[in-house]
Amino acid sequence: MAAKLRKSRTNKMLAGVCGGIAEYIGWDATIVRIIYLVLIFSSFGTMVLFYFILALIMPD
């Protein structure tokens, strides 16, 4: 059975989006959060909006 992209219930800081992505691809959540932080600064904040959209769309 294939893994499904969901928000993490156990590995969450705000909404569990980065933790869910990390569980989906099999990486450590800290690495995903660091990559996301770099993307926030390089996209001038667009990724913040993307995070909140994912928080609304991704199932629990």
Side-chain angles (χ1 to χ4, degrees):
M1 185 173 201
K4 294 185 179 182
L5 182 59
R6 298 182 179 275
K7 290 188 274 188
S8 177
R9 292 181 183 218
T10 58
N11 196 4
K12 64 191 316 187
M13 289 275 196
L14 293 175
V17 173
C18 289
I21 292 171
E23 291 173 1
Y24 180 74
I25 59 178
W27 290 3
D28 184 39
T30 305
I31 295 171
V32 174
R33 289 183 183 114
I34 290 170
I35 292 170
Y36 182 72
L37 188 64
V38 169
L39 288 174
I40 286 175
F41 289 117
S42 65
S43 70
F44 302 107
T46 306
M47 291 300 289
V48 174
L49 178 64
F50 185 66
Y51 183 90
F52 287 114
I53 291 170
L54 282 176
L56 293 173
I57 294 174
M58 286 175 65
D60 289 334

